[in-house]
Amino acid sequence: MPTLWLVIALLALSALGFVLGRQRAMQSAGGDTRALHSLPIYYGLNVGLTALLPALAVLLVWLFAQPMFIENQISDMIPAELIPENSTRDLVMSDVRRVAAGLDLAVEQGALTETAAANLRAELTDVRARLGEIGVALGSDVRPEVLDAAQEYRKMTATGNTVMTIVVALLALGGLAVSYARTHKDYRARNVVEQGVLALLILAASLAILTTVGIVLSMLFETMNFFSLHQWVDFFFGTTWAPNFRGDSELSILPLLWGTLYISFIALLVAVPVGLFAAIYLSEYASNTTRSIAKPLLEILAGIPTIVYGLFALLTVGPLLAGMFAKGGLLGVEWMAGATSVLTAGVVMGIMLIPFVSSLSDDIINAVPQTMRDGSLGLGATRSETVRQVVLPAALPGIVGAVLLAASRAIGETMIVVMGAGAIAKFSLNPLESMTTITTRIVSQLTGDTDFASPETLVAFALGLTLFVLTLGLNVLALYIVRKYREQYE
Amino acid sequence: MNDMTFVERTVDTRQTKIAAKNVQVYYGETHAIKDVNVEIEDKTVTAFIGPSGCGKSTFLRCLNRMNDTIDICRVQGDILLDGEDIYDKRVDPVQLRAKVGMVFQKPNPFPKSIYDNVAYGPRIHGLAKNKAELDEIVEKSLRRGAIWDEVKDRLDAPGTGLSGGQQQRLCIARAVATEPEVLLMDEPCSALDPIATAQVEELIDDLRQRYSVVIVTHSMQQAARVSQKTAFFHLGNLVEFGETGQIFTNPEDPRTESYITGRIG
Ligand SMILES: Nc1ncnc2c1ncn2[C@@H]1O[C@H](COP(=O)(O)OP(=O)(O)OP(=O)(O)O)[C@@H](O)[C@H]1O
Ligand SMILES: [Mg+2]
């Protein structure tokens, strides 16, 4: 845990800097805070943060970069002819890492001395057995070149850690010294701290954006792998989804897209009218007391985990529909084969979306100025005339935005579909048949024994990327519409 | 106050259109209108004057039950329109508001075209038999609102795109289009330039031929110019009510005198 100690030392140094900076500033002003350019706390913060932040940043980058760098070096050390027939460089490298970690553990537990660990020879010792004794299980005997690489790995890591500690410590001390020397009653500590705060905020914002970019890039990469193994024509324009592991799978997105859109459509058919009418009632008709009770109740629905909705679909709605439409049901027809169907999933998903639609629409309807309603009521219009002819037209763009947001949630929903809609990919207009969606197929392609080189697995990334593009497009459209609407009343 | 000219006053006794008796209004705990008695005559312009926050708008909104839309507002006492209590359970506030129209303090055009804004009331109440009649009502109302010339070429443009003063005149046209018997106007000229103000005052004078008009105003000159009766409110009380000439030349209450001569406000 040397890194943890390093961080603690940094924090302590920074705290010390804070106290010193304050003191020095007070001294230079002769104890009179009014003579200072900034409040004393800013001088303290300036010294403390200058000592802490650059050192911390370098530490973080170092921690990420060092293993990557070392692995590259070691990987280059292993000659290609030493990699066994049925293996890859990656597998050998993971062996190397395990052996190195095992040796570290052995030293830590005292099973080996540092020198003994460094001088282990695969020809003389059964490394696998030695490591097995302390609980590190290896898949095969350790070959000499792997052990050598592992030793090299440990050596480089140790050197790296030492250098890192020195650099970070120097940086922290240097920051402390420079900012301490600068502290003077005329020094604009407040402005410098302000810039520091700004930098911190920008860092946080760019982290969030960079992560998104990273996610998209990794998906893009795997998707490209997929398209190098599978024809894109079949993926986008084929009509059958039939994965198998014999190598002649038909992997077409269209049946899945159809299921996704069909279920989402039914969900919106349930959620939009109910949610919108609920919102109109709450914002236009309900008294304050009713609203204060009904609104939180409605919003509780939004807090229920989707898996619970899935159970509801599986245990209640599905059997209920089956009891009506399946063989031996109330209606005496045989339209439904089992409890899972598009309708089951769609209805339950619609229920899930009701609070989403209603609370968004409620906000939007409330944003329509009261004077607009007064104008209409003052002309002798009834409340529903006012809602229909003045309030809703004024709120329409916002409501459309809310519906699009709800649609993108419906498209991305997984649990309810897994439990309510079944797993059969097909084109059908009958809402009482089982169907499946993009999200559930992604899950099923990636669970179980997976081999990340086959198109049957990689298709999950292509599906995911398509889904991402779809919902992103919907969200952008929705936000655009909502924003356009906001401008009207500013 | 010497520059004020008074409208020639007809002496014949006019009928009472609205009679308010012992009206009290509360916003929650706040007592906003205290025991107000007033008689608003038919075919007369009545001006409400008084310092800001004294309850002019509140009282005006009682006259067509617009206060119903405010949850915390309670109205007590009797308000009779043509002898009928408008707060009676049998009275439909929607019907009442068609008869007692209102122009609000802040212009509030609907997010619709200029044409649809004016046609809104006539459409709701079925005042036009066909499109041609509706066109006629819209044009007549816009002319009376003194805005026809400015908008006649862009009746399809959104009403919200007009300037503040134009919006206010549009709202006046919209209120006039439903042919109310009483028109309540809450500071209708506060956003208008002198020319438009003169046009609106002309309209008010014209409306007086057929309806009764109640106007809230902060301009003494305007009250003197357009009204026959004036009511002075102060801190929720109706301090003085009488012939406009009487109020401005010879007020009975010292508070009225201080207000119109600019000492309180
Ligand atoms: N919706 C409301 N809720 C609570 N109190 C209100 C409300 N509307 C008005 N009031 C209060 O009632 C009193 C009278 O307000 P009102 O709007 O009638 O004044 P006003 O005479 O029209 O003033 P101004 O000339 O500024 O328009 C004020 O004290 C105000 O604070
Ligand atoms: Mg007012």
Side-chain angles (χ1 to χ4, degrees), chain B residues 135-155:
Chain B
D135 287 348
E136 203 178 305
I137 294 179
V138 169
E139 180 177 342
K140 196 179 77 188
S141 309
L142 285 170
R143 279 188 195 283
R144 293 168 88 182
I147 192 181
W148 171 252
D149 290 333
E150 282 155 77
V151 300
K152 63 169 183 273
D153 299 323
R154 46 168 173 156
L155 291 177

Short mmCIF file of all heavy atoms in Angstrom, two decimals, chain B residues 135-155:
data_model
loop_
_atom_site.label_atom_id
_atom_site.label_comp_id
_atom_site.label_asym_id
_atom_site.label_seq_id
_atom_site.Cartn_x
_atom_site.Cartn_y
_atom_site.Cartn_z
N ASP B 135 -64.72 37.13 -39.94
CA ASP B 135 -63.76 38.10 -40.48
C ASP B 135 -64.18 39.52 -40.12
O ASP B 135 -63.36 40.36 -39.72
CB ASP B 135 -63.68 37.99 -42.01
CG ASP B 135 -62.93 36.74 -42.43
OD1 ASP B 135 -62.30 36.11 -41.55
OD2 ASP B 135 -62.98 36.39 -43.62
N GLU B 136 -65.47 39.75 -40.25
CA GLU B 136 -66.00 41.09 -39.99
C GLU B 136 -65.82 41.46 -38.51
O GLU B 136 -65.37 42.57 -38.18
CB GLU B 136 -67.48 41.08 -40.35
CG GLU B 136 -68.06 42.43 -40.66
CD GLU B 136 -69.53 42.27 -41.05
OE1 GLU B 136 -69.80 41.50 -42.00
OE2 GLU B 136 -70.38 42.86 -40.38
N ILE B 137 -66.15 40.51 -37.63
CA ILE B 137 -65.98 40.77 -36.20
C ILE B 137 -64.52 41.07 -35.88
O ILE B 137 -64.20 42.02 -35.15
CB ILE B 137 -66.45 39.56 -35.36
CG1 ILE B 137 -67.96 39.35 -35.53
CG2 ILE B 137 -66.10 39.74 -33.89
CD1 ILE B 137 -68.49 38.16 -34.76
N VAL B 138 -63.62 40.26 -36.46
CA VAL B 138 -62.20 40.44 -36.18
C VAL B 138 -61.76 41.82 -36.64
O VAL B 138 -61.09 42.56 -35.89
CB VAL B 138 -61.36 39.33 -36.86
CG1 VAL B 138 -59.89 39.66 -36.79
CG2 VAL B 138 -61.64 37.99 -36.20
N GLU B 139 -62.16 42.20 -37.85
CA GLU B 139 -61.72 43.49 -38.34
C GLU B 139 -62.27 44.63 -37.48
O GLU B 139 -61.55 45.54 -37.07
CB GLU B 139 -62.14 43.69 -39.81
CG GLU B 139 -61.68 45.05 -40.31
CD GLU B 139 -62.00 45.30 -41.77
OE1 GLU B 139 -62.28 44.34 -42.50
OE2 GLU B 139 -61.97 46.49 -42.16
N LYS B 140 -63.55 44.53 -37.16
CA LYS B 140 -64.17 45.60 -36.38
C LYS B 140 -63.49 45.73 -35.01
O LYS B 140 -63.19 46.84 -34.55
CB LYS B 140 -65.67 45.28 -36.20
CG LYS B 140 -66.48 46.48 -35.75
CD LYS B 140 -67.96 46.13 -35.63
CE LYS B 140 -68.19 45.34 -34.35
NZ LYS B 140 -69.55 44.81 -34.24
N SER B 141 -63.22 44.57 -34.40
CA SER B 141 -62.60 44.60 -33.07
C SER B 141 -61.19 45.18 -33.14
O SER B 141 -60.81 45.98 -32.28
CB SER B 141 -62.53 43.20 -32.48
OG SER B 141 -63.79 42.59 -32.54
N LEU B 142 -60.44 44.77 -34.16
CA LEU B 142 -59.08 45.29 -34.28
C LEU B 142 -59.10 46.80 -34.52
O LEU B 142 -58.25 47.53 -34.00
CB LEU B 142 -58.32 44.57 -35.40
CG LEU B 142 -57.87 43.15 -35.06
CD1 LEU B 142 -57.36 42.42 -36.29
CD2 LEU B 142 -56.78 43.16 -33.98
N ARG B 143 -60.09 47.27 -35.30
CA ARG B 143 -60.21 48.71 -35.51
C ARG B 143 -60.52 49.41 -34.20
O ARG B 143 -59.94 50.45 -33.87
CB ARG B 143 -61.33 49.01 -36.50
CG ARG B 143 -60.93 48.84 -37.94
CD ARG B 143 -62.02 49.35 -38.85
NE ARG B 143 -61.84 48.90 -40.21
CZ ARG B 143 -60.95 49.42 -41.05
NH1 ARG B 143 -60.18 50.43 -40.66
NH2 ARG B 143 -60.81 48.94 -42.26
N ARG B 144 -61.43 48.82 -33.42
CA ARG B 144 -61.78 49.46 -32.14
C ARG B 144 -60.60 49.43 -31.19
O ARG B 144 -60.46 50.29 -30.33
CB ARG B 144 -63.00 48.77 -31.53
CG ARG B 144 -64.26 49.00 -32.36
CD ARG B 144 -65.35 48.09 -31.91
NE ARG B 144 -66.13 48.69 -30.83
CZ ARG B 144 -67.13 48.06 -30.24
NH1 ARG B 144 -67.47 46.84 -30.61
NH2 ARG B 144 -67.80 48.64 -29.27
N GLY B 145 -59.77 48.40 -31.31
CA GLY B 145 -58.57 48.33 -30.46
C GLY B 145 -57.46 49.23 -30.98
O GLY B 145 -56.35 49.20 -30.43
N ALA B 146 -57.72 49.98 -32.04
CA ALA B 146 -56.75 50.94 -32.59
C ALA B 146 -55.48 50.26 -33.04
O ALA B 146 -54.38 50.77 -32.88
CB ALA B 146 -56.43 52.04 -31.57
N ILE B 147 -55.62 49.06 -33.61
CA ILE B 147 -54.42 48.35 -34.04
C ILE B 147 -54.57 47.80 -35.45
O ILE B 147 -53.63 47.24 -36.03
CB ILE B 147 -54.08 47.23 -33.01
CG1 ILE B 147 -52.67 46.68 -33.28
CG2 ILE B 147 -55.13 46.15 -33.00
CD1 ILE B 147 -52.26 45.59 -32.37
N TRP B 148 -55.74 47.96 -36.04
CA TRP B 148 -56.02 47.38 -37.36
C TRP B 148 -54.96 47.76 -38.40
O TRP B 148 -54.43 46.89 -39.08
CB TRP B 148 -57.42 47.80 -37.82
CG TRP B 148 -57.72 47.42 -39.24
CD1 TRP B 148 -57.81 48.24 -40.30
CD2 TRP B 148 -57.96 46.09 -39.74
NE1 TRP B 148 -58.09 47.53 -41.45
CE2 TRP B 148 -58.19 46.20 -41.13
CE3 TRP B 148 -58.00 44.82 -39.15
CZ2 TRP B 148 -58.46 45.10 -41.93
CZ3 TRP B 148 -58.26 43.73 -39.95
CH2 TRP B 148 -58.50 43.87 -41.32
N ASP B 149 -54.64 49.04 -38.48
CA ASP B 149 -53.71 49.47 -39.53
C ASP B 149 -52.35 48.82 -39.40
O ASP B 149 -51.66 48.58 -40.38
CB ASP B 149 -53.56 51.00 -39.48
CG ASP B 149 -54.83 51.67 -39.95
OD1 ASP B 149 -55.56 51.03 -40.75
OD2 ASP B 149 -55.12 52.79 -39.50
N GLU B 150 -51.96 48.55 -38.15
CA GLU B 150 -50.63 47.98 -37.95
C GLU B 150 -50.58 46.50 -38.28
O GLU B 150 -49.51 45.97 -38.59
CB GLU B 150 -50.18 48.19 -36.50
CG GLU B 150 -49.70 49.60 -36.23
CD GLU B 150 -49.85 49.96 -34.76
OE1 GLU B 150 -49.03 49.51 -33.96
OE2 GLU B 150 -50.81 50.70 -34.43
N VAL B 151 -51.68 45.79 -38.16
CA VAL B 151 -51.62 44.34 -38.31
C VAL B 151 -52.42 43.80 -39.48
O VAL B 151 -52.41 42.59 -39.71
CB VAL B 151 -52.10 43.62 -37.01
CG1 VAL B 151 -51.24 44.03 -35.84
CG2 VAL B 151 -53.56 43.92 -36.74
N LYS B 152 -53.08 44.66 -40.22
CA LYS B 152 -54.02 44.13 -41.23
C LYS B 152 -53.32 43.27 -42.29
O LYS B 152 -53.94 42.40 -42.88
CB LYS B 152 -54.82 45.25 -41.88
CG LYS B 152 -54.00 46.27 -42.66
CD LYS B 152 -54.96 47.15 -43.47
CE LYS B 152 -54.23 48.13 -44.34
NZ LYS B 152 -53.89 49.39 -43.65
N ASP B 153 -51.98 43.51 -42.48
CA ASP B 153 -51.27 42.72 -43.48
C ASP B 153 -50.65 41.46 -42.91
O ASP B 153 -50.06 40.67 -43.64
CB ASP B 153 -50.14 43.57 -44.10
CG ASP B 153 -50.72 44.79 -44.78
OD1 ASP B 153 -51.81 44.66 -45.37
OD2 ASP B 153 -50.10 45.87 -44.69
N ARG B 154 -50.73 41.28 -41.62
CA ARG B 154 -50.10 40.08 -41.05
C ARG B 154 -50.99 39.45 -39.98
O ARG B 154 -50.54 39.18 -38.86
CB ARG B 154 -48.72 40.41 -40.48
CG ARG B 154 -48.70 41.66 -39.63
CD ARG B 154 -47.38 41.74 -38.90
NE ARG B 154 -47.27 43.02 -38.21
CZ ARG B 154 -46.51 43.22 -37.15
NH1 ARG B 154 -45.80 42.24 -36.67
NH2 ARG B 154 -46.46 44.40 -36.56
N LEU B 155 -52.22 39.23 -40.36
CA LEU B 155 -53.15 38.62 -39.40
C LEU B 155 -52.75 37.19 -39.03
O LEU B 155 -53.15 36.68 -38.00
CB LEU B 155 -54.56 38.62 -39.98
CG LEU B 155 -55.19 40.00 -40.12
CD1 LEU B 155 -56.55 39.91 -40.78
CD2 LEU B 155 -55.31 40.67 -38.75
#
